[in-house]
């Protein structure tokens, strides 16, 4: 079908950056010729092929710019290993209304219980649904903001953590935070308060945050804002990382009953 009109159409589609339409034109034209496809269905079919491919590409771009350390999915989460996680509650959160409502999620618990897995899975789901997401550890965020003070890029770096619809702050509590670091966390949390969602993971209970942030007043102010509109998961149990080892040793770990009640965590 190398007529002049065809060649021009191919060139125009490429110039308009519609490569999928160009690629599929032949097969659609053949299909249209051998059936009673209307002009509208012909064009509509071609256009939706392009739209689907563009959407797939933008999901990939959003996932890439979210900077997840490893991609995780809620489908791969084994709730039978971790009965302290309420599957129904996670399911409700996966509809992502918490992002529209600017609410926060906090996963607290010891090492290896799936905090980062759940946070990342919800983040990936958000990327797939069109939200801009950024994943960071607290330590990385503090380092970026600290370094930005030296070259006067603080306002733009702060924006980087404030703008995404969902900010995931992982690993609060493992490494000590300087007073300046605690101030940076406060600024990010305060700027996002009721304007953007945060998912945060921590191995420390709220009562220990004063120590983690080196300042009990800042810790209280950060927690006050984080918890006002939030869902808290207090995950108790064994490390999934050590599961295989324990199986080999013939002593499958037992999990304690958990509570997701904020009040018990706030002590
Ligand atoms: N219930 C689970 N089902 C399937 N995989 C799990 C489960 N819990 C944890 N994992 C896997 O185990 C590993 C450790 O989990 P994850 O990194 O989420 O732990 P964590 O709670 O964030 O630990 P840490 O506090 O040390 O960072 C990951 O590979 C994760 O995918
Ligand atoms: Mg983790």
């Amino acid at each position: 079908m190398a007529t002049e009109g065809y060649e021009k159409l191919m060139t125009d589609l490429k110039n308009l950056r519609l490569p999928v339409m160009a690629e599929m034109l032949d097969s659609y034209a053949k299909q249209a010729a051998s059936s009673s496809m209307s002009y509208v269905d012909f064009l509509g079919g071609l256009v939706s092929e392009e739209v689907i491919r563009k959407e797939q590409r933008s999901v990939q771009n959003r996932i890439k710019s979210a900077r997840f350390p490893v991609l995780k999915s809620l489908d791969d989460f084994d709730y039978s290993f971790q009965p302290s996680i309420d599957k129904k509650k996670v399911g409700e959160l996966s509809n992502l209304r918490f992002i529209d409502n600017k609410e926060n999620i906090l996963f607290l618990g010891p090492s290896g219980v799936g905090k980062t897995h759940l946070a990342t899975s919800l983040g990936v789901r958000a990327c797939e649904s069109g939200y801009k997401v950024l994943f960071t550890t607290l330590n990385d965020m503090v380092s970026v903001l600290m370094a930005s003070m030296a070259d006067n890029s603080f306002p733009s770096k702060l924006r980087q953590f404030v703008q995404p619809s969902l900010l995931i702050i992982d690993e609060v509590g493992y490494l000590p935070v300087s007073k300046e670091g605690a101030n940076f966390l406060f600024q990010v949390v305060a700027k996002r308060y009721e304007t953007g969602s945060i998912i945060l993971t921590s191995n420390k209970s709220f009562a220990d945050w004063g120590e983690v942030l080196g300042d009990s007043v800042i810790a209280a102010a950060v927690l006050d804002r984080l918890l006002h509109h939030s869902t808290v998961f207090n995950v108790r149990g064994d490390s999934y990382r050590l599961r295989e080892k324990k199986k080999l040793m013939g002593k499958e770990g037992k999990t304690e009953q958990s509570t997701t009640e904020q009040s018990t965590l706030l002590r």
Side-chain angles (χ1 to χ4, degrees), residues 70 72 76-82 85 109-119 170-171 174 201-203 238-241 243:
V70 184
K72 297 284 176 184
D76 299 333
F77 195 79
D78 180 358
Y79 291 90
S80 65
F81 180 77
Q82 192 47 273
I85 294 278
S111 195
V113 292
K115 303 182 298 295
T116 304
H117 184 129
L118 290 166
D170 201 24
E171 296 181 357
Y174 278 118
T201 80
S202 178
N203 65 323
D238 292 335
S239 167
Y240 195 86
R241 295 187 186 107
R243 186 180 78 138

Side-chain angles (χ1 to χ4, degrees), residues 8-21:
K8 167 130 185 17
L9 178 54
M10 286 300 251
T11 309
D12 287 348
L13 287 173
K14 281 172 191 161
N15 286 340
L16 287 169
R17 294 181 200 282
L18 299 168
V20 183
M21 287 181 72

Side-chain angles (χ1 to χ4, degrees), residues 88-117:
K88 194 164 157 252
K89 210 163 169 184
V90 175
E92 278 164 16
L93 292 170
S94 71
N95 67 26
L96 305 176
R97 263 200 296 277
F98 76 95
I99 299 181
D100 296 327
N101 296 340
K102 329 287 185 202
E103 292 166 3
N104 304 320
I105 303 174
L106 290 93
F107 292 107
L108 307 186
S111 195
V113 292
K115 303 182 298 295
T116 304
H117 184 129

Side-chain angles (χ1 to χ4, degrees), residues 10-266:
M10 286 300 251
T11 309
D12 287 348
L13 287 173
K14 281 172 191 161
N15 286 340
L16 287 169
R17 294 181 200 282
L18 299 168
V20 183
M21 287 181 72
E23 187 188 309
M24 309 284 291
L25 182 62
D26 274 358
S27 64
Y28 263 79
K30 277 191 192 120
Q31 216 181 312
S34 64
S35 66
S36 52
M37 194 186 279
S38 69
Y39 292 120
V40 169
D41 285 347
F42 169 75
L43 186 59
L46 261 185
V47 168
S48 49
E49 295 281 357
E50 187 74 53
V51 168
I52 289 166
R53 190 80 66 90
K54 274 208 162 63
E55 181 50 28
Q56 286 168 345
R57 225 175 296 134
S58 47
V59 167
Q60 285 315 312
N61 289 340
R62 279 193 293 273
I63 287 177
K64 199 167 162 221
S65 57
R67 300 196 210 138
F68 299 110
V70 184
L71 294 185
K72 297 284 176 184
S73 153
L74 285 178
D75 298 336
D76 299 333
F77 195 79
D78 180 358
Y79 291 90
S80 65
F81 180 77
Q82 192 47 273
S84 72
I85 294 278
D86 184 345
K87 184 176 180 181
K88 194 164 157 252
K89 210 163 169 184
V90 175
E92 278 164 16
L93 292 170
S94 71
N95 67 26
L96 305 176
R97 263 200 296 277
F98 76 95
I99 299 181
D100 296 327
N101 296 340
K102 329 287 185 202
E103 292 166 3
N104 304 320
I105 303 174
L106 290 93
F107 292 107
L108 307 186
S111 195
V113 292
K115 303 182 298 295
T116 304
H117 184 129
L118 290 166
T120 304
S121 305
L122 289 168
V124 170
R125 181 73 61 99
C127 290
E128 288 166 352
S129 301
Y131 295 100
K132 190 168 161 39
V133 179
L134 181 66
F135 182 106
T136 180
T137 62
L138 175 60
N139 201 46
D140 284 351
M141 184 171 82
V142 166
S143 300
V144 167
L145 292 173
M146 195 83 82
S148 74
M149 300 299 273
D151 62 4
N152 296 326
S153 62
F154 181 76
S156 72
K157 288 293 188 306
L158 183 63
R159 248 194 327 275
Q160 192 181 306
F161 296 105
V162 171
Q163 263 177 352
S165 306
L166 173 62
L167 177 70
I168 301 174
I169 308 176
D170 201 24
E171 296 181 357
V172 174
Y174 278 118
L175 297 171
V177 179
S178 64
K179 195 164 176 57
E180 215 167 6
N183 284 334
F184 290 145
L185 176 64
F186 173 76
Q187 289 194 58
V188 170
V189 170
K191 282 220 182 294
R192 295 188 67 88
Y193 176 60
E194 295 186 336
T195 67
S197 292
I198 293 176
I199 298 181
L200 183 146
T201 80
S202 178
N203 65 323
K204 292 281 186 350
S205 69
F206 296 145
D208 296 331
W209 277 40
E211 203 179 310
V212 169
L213 300 181
D215 185 318
S216 55
V217 176
I218 289 196
V222 166
L223 280 173
D224 198 50
R225 285 161 179 77
L226 278 177
L227 295 175
H228 186 194
H229 311 289
S230 68
T231 304
V232 180
F233 291 86
N234 191 18
V235 194
R236 297 199 191 282
D238 292 335
S239 167
Y240 195 86
R241 295 187 186 107
L242 301 177
R243 186 180 78 138
E244 292 304 320
K245 211 167 235 175
K246 285 198 169 172
K247 262 188 191 164
L248 283 174
M249 288 161 69
K251 48 172 186 176
E252 187 76 75
K254 289 195 180 79
T255 51
E256 288 172 38
Q257 198 53 41
S258 82
T259 171
T260 54
E261 292 307 315
Q262 211 168 286
S263 53
T264 60
L265 292 158
L266 286 164

